[in-house]
Amino acid sequence: LRANFSVIQKETGFVNGLITVLHDNTEQEKIDMERREFVANVSHELRTPLTTMRSYLEALTDGAWQDTDLAPTFLDVTQTETERMIRLVNELLQLSKMDSRDYDLNEEIVEFNKFFNRIIDRFELSKSQHVHFVRIIPNEEYFVEIDTDKLTQVIDNIISNALKYSPDGGNIRFGVIVKDNLLQVMISDDGMGIPRENVERIFDRFYRVDRARARSMGGTGLGLAIAREMIQAHGGSIWAESEEGKGTTIFFTLPYELDGVGEWE
Ligand code: ADP
């Protein structure tokens, strides 16, 4: 809060009034602070892979390129870091597009359960871990109007996280229910969970519960922030419930009309 005082003085010098104007600066200050924090985060996220690459490239230049054991490993590191930076920059561009509303939802009508099952199938076929997939998806047809590319990206991100944090032999459960004109989707894991006080923050840009650990797994910390933007663009919401040591459940909703879907019925 900022206050401006104006003193009303007569020629005689006597003060006979005081005007106080109060400005509410808290919202603007919050935005400024968030922006500064964002720029600092981006810089940090880019500097880390760049300094790593510099030291590996220096070592290669200093002779490691002739070492047939070391050279491929060093090149591999620089490639991994380059890919991470490309991913990061692409995600940043995507977020900036969403911020400026410079995008169109390419919506089409799809049957959600079939669409969801296909994505789960893809992960089930390619996963390398010992994780069981449990589907609690009704044998019914729920038609929704969605941008399938964007929704695929959201679901991919949630499932990748669930797999990343799943213990060997754990379950990942997939659920779909219809609740008050909303389709509610659930993806839950038996992983390490998230400390209670941080659960809501996982949707913030660059937020990671364990920065080093998430980075080593290739994460950028932007996946769920993008997911939230995309779900909100569809008129839905996304949230998490988690218990440390027990697991995490991510929920999201999509608008759904029980008796057919408006115009096209
Ligand atoms: P990242 O690229 O780091 O995965 P996300 O935005 O997808 O970024 O997730 C943000 C953070 O939320 C992760 O770094 C992790 O700390 C936490 N998180 C997300 N999903 C889970 C999960 N299923 N179990 C535990 N922690 C999770």
Side-chain angles (χ1 to χ4, degrees):
L1 206 67
R2 181 163 56 91
N4 281 354
F5 296 99
S6 311
V7 177
I8 302 168
Q9 231 169 351
K10 283 201 167 153
E11 289 101 68
T12 55
F14 287 112
V15 175
N16 65 349
L18 188 66
I19 298 171
T20 312
V21 184
L22 298 175
H23 300 268
D24 187 358
N25 274 5
T26 43
E27 193 52 35
Q28 188 56 42
E29 267 165 26
K30 196 170 150 248
I31 292 168
D32 287 346
M33 201 185 76
E34 277 171 5
R35 189 169 298 145
R36 279 196 298 273
E37 209 172 290
F38 183 71
V39 172
N41 273 323
V42 173
S43 316
H44 178 81
E45 294 297 331
L46 285 173
R47 193 179 55 184
T48 311
L50 282 169
T51 45
T52 306
M53 282 171 64
R54 182 174 58 191
S55 47
Y56 280 88
L57 289 171
E58 263 168 19
L60 284 164
T61 313
D62 289 347
W65 66 275
Q66 283 171 310
D67 186 322
T68 49
D69 286 333
L70 279 183
T73 318
F74 285 13
L75 286 169
D76 196 46
V77 172
T78 59
Q79 191 160 1
T80 309
E81 294 299 316
T82 309
E83 268 150 26
R84 182 212 298 285
M85 286 193 291
I86 292 174
R87 205 161 53 237
L88 178 69
V89 171
N90 282 336
E91 290 181 358
L92 284 169
L93 282 172
Q94 207 173 9
L95 270 173
S96 116
K97 268 194 187 164
M98 306 211 76
D99 284 343
S100 57
R101 305 261 175 273
D102 173 24
Y103 66 95
D104 292 314
L105 284 184
N106 211 342
E107 288 185 308
E108 55 182 306
I109 300 159
V110 294
E111 200 285 296
F112 189 82
N113 290 340
K114 189 170 166 202
F115 165 76
F116 193 31
N117 272 313
R118 270 214 202 121
I119 300 177
I120 305 169
D121 289 343
R122 171 159 52 78
F123 276 92
E124 193 160 37
L125 285 172
S126 63
K127 74 180 158 60
S128 51
Q129 293 146 282
H130 214 76
V131 175
H132 307 287
F133 280 14
V134 183
R135 302 184 204 208
I136 317 156
I137 302 174
N139 219 344
E140 277 179 61
E141 295 190 324
Y142 298 147
F143 286 93
V144 285
E145 191 176 21
I146 54 170
D147 181 323
T148 52
D149 285 347
K150 291 201 165 53
L151 248 295
T152 302
Q153 193 183 337
V154 170
I155 296 169
D156 276 5
N157 187 267
I158 300 171
I159 303 179
S160 308
N161 281 341
L163 278 169
K164 257 193 242 175
Y165 299 100
S166 275
D168 205 38
N171 288 318
I172 298 183
R173 286 165 298 274
F174 303 89
V176 179
I177 53 166
V178 169
K179 227 180 183 178
D180 316 323
N181 280 354
L182 287 173
L183 191 77
Q184 185 171 308
V185 183
M186 169 210 96
I187 297 166
S188 96
D189 64 61
D190 296 332
M192 63 202 284
I194 301 157
R196 187 176 299 271
E197 64 275 18
N198 297 333
V199 176
E200 270 316 300
R201 299 195 58 199
I202 63 171
F203 300 98
D204 290 350
R205 296 173 189 196
F206 292 116
Y207 182 79
R208 284 171 291 198
V209 176
D210 180 344
R211 200 169 257 257
R213 194 191 144 111
R215 254 188 63 82
S216 71
M217 292 203 239
T220 58
L222 292 177
L224 287 177
I226 293 176
R228 182 173 61 184
E229 295 291 337
M230 288 179 171
I231 292 294
Q232 286 174 350
H234 279 82
S237 51
I238 183 167
W239 69 97
E241 285 173 12
S242 186
E243 199 173 331
E244 243 180 316
K246 284 248 172 93
T248 303
T249 308
I250 306 284
F251 296 92
F252 69 83
T253 57
L254 291 170
Y256 174 76
E257 279 179 44
L258 272 172
D259 340 300
V261 201
E263 312 115 72
W264 59 80
E265 277 287 330

